[in-house]
Amino acid sequence: MRITEARVIVTCPGRNFVTLKIVTDEGVTGVGDATLNSRELAVAAYLTEHVVPLLIGRDPARIEDTWQYLYRGAYWRRGPVTMSAIAAVDTALWDIKGKVAGLPVYQLLGGRSRSGVTVYGHANASSIESVLAEISSYVDRGYQAIRVQTGIPGLESTYGVSAGAHYEPADAALPTENVWSTAHYLDHVPRVFARVREEFGPTLRLLHDVHHRLTPIEAARLGRSLEPYALTWIEDPVPAELQEGFRLIRQHTTTPLAVGEVFNTIWDCQELITSQLIDYIRTTVVHAGGITHLRRIFDLAALYHVRSGSHGATDLSPVCMAAALHVDLAIPNFGLQEYMRHTPATDEVFPHSYWFEDGYLHPGEEPGLGVDIDEEQAARHPYRPASLPVNRLQDGTMHNW
Ligand code: CS2
Ligand code: MG
């Protein structure tokens, strides 16, 4: 079997997605997600100009060699654009391998290690009282884990809380500006979880996304203030380039830490894992080099009691979600899978076999990944420039969004 064609498909059913479709001379095709929110065209160009020409004529069965060829052969290694492009190729090749074997990809990864993939939903609301209603609606649908984000009194806007039903952060062609106050935030968040625990009791699994906005000692203060509410994790407490900064957080609090959605290789989290500075690693199929590299990260994590908690926002396409579920089902150290639920318009472009039931997602038994892209539907939704916001402190200092 040989690769004869690879199409890079950019579509925007409400938000932009980039998909790679690999075609072989025996008619078997595979898909990979290459979406990098608000940098989509960078990855599309990297694929079109620098990867697709290398794929034509290659044996699609040689997944590892292709990964090494695209990683080592690029010379300029790592980074979200390169690794998202490699991820798309890798994911599509696993899809093809599953189809050729007549097996769902999780069977090629060692088979099922659990009955289903426990997911967490997003309860977002402007106030504490309105977020309680959101949480109830998730509990009623069987969710066993819920991320809780609310507005911050005194701040006009904050991460994770939207006006509409579906939270989509890339909200304008050019970056919108948000204003941030750590003081307002640290004062408010413990009150949110005190109220949530009062309402829902001690065992519902609660998570919170700090979204890179604190310093290590501020994160330590937040973690300590949330200890009475026993969260499953606080996520991205600080920007994680400084991996050793997590040591400072660790010294002060037992609140579990999750990080990794912006990571794109094992080297971004090697110290965090081997020094047990985190409890969950949130790397994803689409941004961390595909199934092949993600498994390496999760296998390293398993040696240090670190569990997976993969990113699953709506700016990762159903192709990524499908691939993630095959990995989640098979690995021994699965923790949680984020599941923000795509819109019906997105689901129409990406028909898939995964389904939700009683708080679990199931990838289905289709050979391969069980997802595809309907290229006719995709063509109906042209690309639309969309940028993620930026964030400044109240005095105008540039901060982390
Ligand atoms: C967030 C994301 O889902 C999450 O945990 O961090 O919403 C993130 O802001 C977006 O994926 C960025 O594109
Ligand atoms: Mg996050």
Side-chain angles (χ1 to χ4, degrees):
M1 185 181 276
R2 285 289 178 268
I3 295 170
T4 52
E5 187 189 353
R7 293 193 287 273
V8 179
I9 304 151
V10 182
T11 181
C12 185
R15 63 143 293 107
N16 295 311
F17 294 106
V18 181
T19 307
L20 178 72
K21 183 155 208 173
I22 293 181
V23 182
T24 65
D25 55 2
E26 294 181 22
V28 182
T29 62
V31 285
D33 186 14
T35 307
L36 184 62
N37 201 357
S38 87
R39 294 295 181 273
E40 291 87 0
L41 296 189
V43 184
Y46 189 102
L47 282 166
T48 304
E49 301 301 327
H50 308 297
V51 172
V52 167
L54 305 178
L55 296 177
I56 308 307
R58 283 188 71 87
D59 174 357
R62 299 184 65 187
I63 298 178
E64 183 68 56
D65 182 64
T66 300
W67 196 99
Q68 298 295 335
Y69 181 73
L70 295 177
Y71 181 77
R72 297 169 189 268
Y75 188 73
W76 311 106
R77 299 178 177 193
R78 304 167 69 180
V81 173
T82 301
M83 299 314 292
S84 297
I86 293 176
V89 175
D90 184 81
T91 306
L93 295 183
W94 276 103
D95 194 16
I96 290 168
K97 192 173 276 288
K99 289 175 178 174
V100 168
L103 291 170
V105 167
Y106 77 81
Q107 292 289 13
L108 306 179
L109 302 176
R112 168 189 301 279
S113 297
R114 51 196 56 80
S115 54
V117 174
T118 307
V119 294
Y120 69 87
H122 282 201
N124 305 329
S126 54
S127 71
I128 294 179
E129 289 312 308
S130 52
V131 87
L132 297 178
E134 273 278 288
I135 295 169
S136 279
S137 74
Y138 278 98
V139 170
D140 294 346
R141 276 176 275 166
Y143 281 77
Q144 303 163 44
I146 299 165
R147 192 190 82 167
V148 179
Q149 307 290 139
T150 71
I152 311 291
L155 296 183
E156 220 173 276
S157 64
T158 190
Y159 163 72
V161 181
S162 64
H166 274 271
Y167 176 64
E168 172 46 66
D171 55 4
L174 296 177
T176 52
E177 299 234 343
N178 292 188
V179 177
W180 175 254
S181 157
T182 297
H184 286 79
Y185 172 76
L186 289 177
D187 171 61
H188 179 66
V189 172
R191 270 201 286 279
V192 173
F193 287 95
R195 186 75 185 83
V196 173
R197 280 296 183 218
E198 188 188 316
E199 192 75 15
F200 293 96
T203 56
L204 178 64
R205 298 176 70 179
L206 299 175
L207 310 102
H208 179 67
D209 194 344
V210 187
H211 220 263
H212 322 278
R213 298 186 178 194
L214 302 179
T215 63
I217 202 65
E218 291 167 347
R221 184 177 142 201
L222 174 68
R224 185 173 285 186
S225 70
L226 293 176
E227 283 176 12
Y229 314 116
L231 271 66
T232 296
W233 78 47
I234 54 174
E235 172 184 333
D236 287 332
V238 298
E241 293 93 329
L242 183 70
Q243 296 185 44
E244 70 192 63
F246 279 71
R247 215 178 292 284
L248 199 63
I249 309 171
R250 230 18 174 193
Q251 283 162 1
H252 293 281
T253 181
T254 57
T255 294
L257 305 175
V259 72
E261 68 183 52
V262 299
F263 293 170
N264 42 79
T265 68
I266 198 166
W267 291 282
D268 292 334
C269 47
Q270 183 179 356
E271 184 181 356
L272 288 169
I273 291 172
T274 56
S275 301
Q276 300 184 57
L277 299 179
I278 57 173
D279 303 278
Y280 295 87
I281 182 67
R282 288 188 31 80
T283 35
T284 66
V285 169
V286 60
H287 297 137
I291 291 172
T292 299
H293 195 62
L294 190 62
R295 287 182 67 196
R296 295 214 151 89
I297 294 172
F298 290 160
D299 285 347
L300 175 66
L303 301 180
Y304 294 89
H305 307 293
V306 176
R307 285 169 285 182
S308 73
S310 286
H311 189 203
T314 44
D315 46 280
L316 286 59
S317 90
V319 174
C320 179
M321 179 52 77
L325 295 175
H326 287 277
V327 176
D328 291 340
L329 201 61
I331 54 171
N333 55 325
F334 169 74
L336 279 175
Q337 170 63 52
E338 181 176 11
Y339 178 46
M340 268 180 80
R341 291 173 302 131
H342 290 100
T343 63
T346 297
D347 287 343
E348 206 176 358
V349 172
F350 296 97
H352 54 266
S353 62
Y354 62 80
W355 83 91
F356 174 86
E357 191 174 4
D358 289 342
Y360 297 94
L361 272 179
H362 303 269
E365 296 301 318
E366 305 254 312
L369 296 175
V371 65
D372 205 340
I373 181 166
D374 178 330
E375 293 185 63
E376 252 182 59
Q377 286 290 344
R380 294 199 179 113
H381 306 283
Y383 169 79
R384 192 177 61 212
S387 295
L388 286 169
V390 297
N391 206 14
R392 291 183 183 274
L393 300 180
Q394 289 169 310
D395 68 0
T397 304
M398 201 54 199
H399 196 57
N400 309 307
W401 175 72

